[in-house]
Amino acid sequence: MAESWTVEQVAAVAPSPRAVAAAEPLAVTARWSALGVDDRALWGRCRGSGAEPYDTMVDHVEAAWRCTCPSRKLPCKHALALLLLWVRGGVPDGAAPAAVASWVEQRDRRSKPASGAGSGVGDDAGATSDPSSEGRDEAADADEPAPPDRDELDRSRDERIARMLEGLTELDRWLDDRMRTGLADPALARYDTWDALAARLVDARAGALANRVRRLAGLVGSTPDWHSDVLIELGMLHLLARAGRHLPELPGSLADAVAVSSGWQVKRADVLAGVPDTDEWFVAGRSDVREDRIEVRRLWLYGTTTKRWAMLLSFAAYQQVLDDSFTVGTVVHADLHRYPGGALRALAGERYADPLPFVEPVASSLAEACDQIGAAVATEPWLERFPATVRATPTVLDGRWVLVDDTGTLPLIGPKRSLATLLAASAGSAATITVEWTPWGLQPLTVHLDDRAIDIGPRADPSFVGAT
């Protein structure tokens, strides 16, 4: 049925000419597997930037599409590529897989006219005549919410994008003013200067940047070197502001990373609808930190098979509870669903077994850890935290806490109690330690001993968070 569509028609359903250009490199059979077409639908799995291929399906009769990629454009470049490949004769005939058949059936069910209308003749030859089941079906149809209007969703998204772009433009102007007046401006010492900017960014739906601004306000005058610290953070804000204003020109994964880092809210349901990373996840470390009257918990998980890190976040306002369903030092066989852009952040999905006891993690040297952290920062220069598990000795050098091994030395930060516990647990010898990199040094999170893991990461104030 390839003759029923043309390349021009594919371009006509694309959200923009740039989307068609992005789809062209994917419209080759080498990028696809499990391809097929029948008289109603197209389907296939496209190898993209994610760890797993994207499952793509297109209803070529009703012009509808579905894909597991995180793109917010409809149709996405994978659906467009599948259509282009089809009209060029590159998709073989086949029987629709169960997932595709179910999707088409659901679409038909939603578009079917309500029962009882017209002449009363049933549309289905095999429809049941059981009055009780008919009543249940009618009630279920009545309760089912109407699907959202696509035009309304597009308008809402466009308005939100416009507001964010206005906020980023205003942020860049504000940064230019700061540079002209200099860091000696007394206004920097007033919290109102920063709070007003943060409030404007919140209005522009750039909440993540607003949080960075509030944290930046706390750096002013905090140390003798605060000028250089503030200048670095202002540079990061400028980088994100400029990148956010050029989102359409960035590669897909980088654009997603910039959008999320700027504060673009991704619906939890959309994240959970993506293809999960299924692995045996080692819960390597935990870190709690207060951010703008909210307690934030970071759990760092390491995939024993995929060799990739992931981060689970939980939040608690006053007297609320942080998630404690993952225990440091255990291994959990589970699904994790990652946020767009190949981000560290993920949501926990289905668990397939009870947590297993402690296992010996694979540790890196300090030099190898620096390479891993450097690669992550090169990909996302605005990154503020990254995990590593190292084999090193904690000690004091020139009046400062450090980790030392044969490859070098890295500074340690954190509460004195955590550092003292680290020294006691390691007995002054080399130990396997999970740390959290920050621009100011390494925060120790976990000491992995032969028989147990000791959680020494920063912990939330028990008078602030609620009891579990």
Side-chain angles (χ1 to χ4, degrees), residues 286 297 299 314 321-327 351 459 467-468:
R286 174 208 51 81
R297 169 166 292 174
L299 280 170
S314 63
V321 179
L322 290 165
D323 179 23
D324 64 351
S325 59
F326 287 83
T327 303
R351 302 193 195 188
R459 190 168 293 277
T468 303

Side-chain angles (χ1 to χ4, degrees), residues 329 358 360 425 446-454:
F358 167 82
E360 179 69 24
T446 313
V447 185
H448 304 281
L449 303 180
D450 292 338
D451 57 345
R452 66 191 185 280
I454 303 178

Side-chain angles (χ1 to χ4, degrees), residues 401-460:
W401 285 90
V402 296
L403 283 179
V404 178
D405 71 0
D406 294 339
T407 64
T409 302
L410 290 176
L412 285 172
I413 61 171
K416 292 182 178 179
R417 183 173 180 178
S418 294
L419 297 174
T421 304
L422 170 61
L423 184 62
S426 64
S429 302
T432 300
I433 308 163
T434 293
V435 297
E436 184 180 65
W437 170 84
T438 75
W440 301 276
L442 302 179
Q443 170 74 62
L445 303 182
T446 313
V447 185
H448 304 281
L449 303 180
D450 292 338
D451 57 345
R452 66 191 185 280
I454 303 178
D455 181 358
I456 62 172
R459 190 168 293 277

Side-chain angles (χ1 to χ4, degrees), residues 335-347:
D335 290 341
L336 294 187
H337 299 263
R338 293 184 183 270
Y339 276 71
L344 286 167
R345 188 182 176 188
L347 294 176

Side-chain angles (χ1 to χ4, degrees), residues 40-397:
R40 179 64 184 274
L42 293 158
W43 59 88
R45 307 191 76 200
C46 182
R47 189 176 73 253
S49 58
E52 294 289 337
Y54 297 129
D55 292 312
T56 308
M57 53 191 80
V58 175
D59 182 341
H60 58 74
V61 175
E62 300 292 339
W65 23 77
R66 183 177 181 181
C67 185
T68 58
C69 76
S71 175
R72 294 178 292 274
K73 296 180 180 179
L74 293 175
C76 68
K77 63 182 180 181
H78 307 101
L80 293 172
L82 184 57
L83 281 167
L84 289 172
L85 191 60
W86 173 55
V87 301
R88 293 166 181 168
V91 180
D93 294 336
V100 177
S102 175
W103 175 63
V104 171
E105 181 181 354
Q106 290 173 8
R107 285 185 47 76
D108 288 342
R109 192 184 310 121
R110 285 196 296 267
S111 62
K112 184 183 298 183
S115 60
S119 63
V121 179
D123 292 331
D124 253 337
T128 177
S129 60
D130 181 0
S132 62
S133 66
E134 182 178 349
R136 287 194 300 271
D137 290 343
E138 290 176 352
D141 290 342
D143 292 340
E144 184 176 351
D149 181 75
R150 173 53 56 190
D151 291 338
E152 182 63 30
L153 290 176
D154 288 344
R155 282 194 298 271
S156 176
R157 181 198 60 194
D158 292 343
E159 290 173 2
R160 184 175 177 185
I161 291 174
R163 289 179 65 180
M164 179 176 281
L165 291 177
E166 289 176 3
L168 295 177
T169 301
E170 185 174 356
L171 171 61
D172 229 8
R173 284 199 298 264
W174 187 92
L175 292 170
D176 286 341
D177 292 340
R178 289 303 102 201
M179 291 298 97
R180 279 196 297 269
T181 56
L183 298 184
D185 185 353
L188 293 182
R190 296 195 296 268
Y191 192 77
D192 288 349
T193 301
W194 306 92
D195 197 40
L197 174 62
R200 290 197 293 272
L201 289 172
V202 170
D203 291 341
R205 308 294 178 87
L209 292 181
N211 289 337
R212 290 189 79 117
V213 168
R214 292 191 180 102
R215 293 198 300 271
L216 176 53
L219 295 178
V220 178
S222 60
T223 66
D225 299 327
W226 71 268
H227 296 88
S228 61
D229 293 339
V230 168
L231 186 60
I232 290 171
E233 285 300 309
L234 291 176
M236 289 299 175
L237 285 173
H238 173 67
L239 176 64
L240 281 168
R242 293 301 297 270
R245 292 163 60 187
H246 293 83
L247 279 180
E249 304 165 23
L250 300 178
S253 60
L254 180 58
D256 287 333
V258 171
V260 171
S261 298
S262 298
W264 185 273
Q265 296 296 318
V266 182
K267 292 182 180 179
R268 181 183 179 90
D270 291 341
V271 177
L272 293 175
V275 177
D277 278 354
T278 304
D279 205 337
E280 292 186 343
W281 296 96
F282 177 64
V283 188
R286 174 208 51 81
S287 175
D288 299 344
V289 63
R290 184 82 58 84
E291 294 183 0
D292 191 31
R293 300 184 295 276
I294 297 292
E295 199 71 41
V296 181
R297 169 166 292 174
R298 291 176 176 82
L299 280 170
W300 295 106
L301 278 61
Y302 183 74
T304 57
T305 300
T306 59
K307 311 299 183 186
R308 296 180 65 197
W309 285 98
M311 177 184 65
L312 302 181
L313 284 180
S314 63
F315 306 89
Y318 180 67
Q319 290 303 297
Q320 291 183 343
V321 179
L322 290 165
D323 179 23
D324 64 351
S325 59
F326 287 83
T327 303
V328 172
T330 61
V331 175
V332 182
H333 187 200
D335 290 341
L336 294 187
H337 299 263
R338 293 184 183 270
Y339 276 71
L344 286 167
R345 188 182 176 188
L347 294 176
E350 184 177 356
R351 302 193 195 188
Y352 300 102
D354 293 333
L356 298 175
F358 167 82
V359 295
E360 179 69 24
V362 177
S364 306
S365 67
L366 292 180
E368 291 170 337
C370 285
D371 289 341
Q372 297 164 11
I373 295 166
V377 173
T379 302
E380 294 186 25
W382 50 86
L383 197 65
E384 295 181 285
R385 289 175 174 82
F386 194 82
T389 299
V390 298
R391 182 77 178 174
T393 303
T395 186
V396 175
L397 183 64

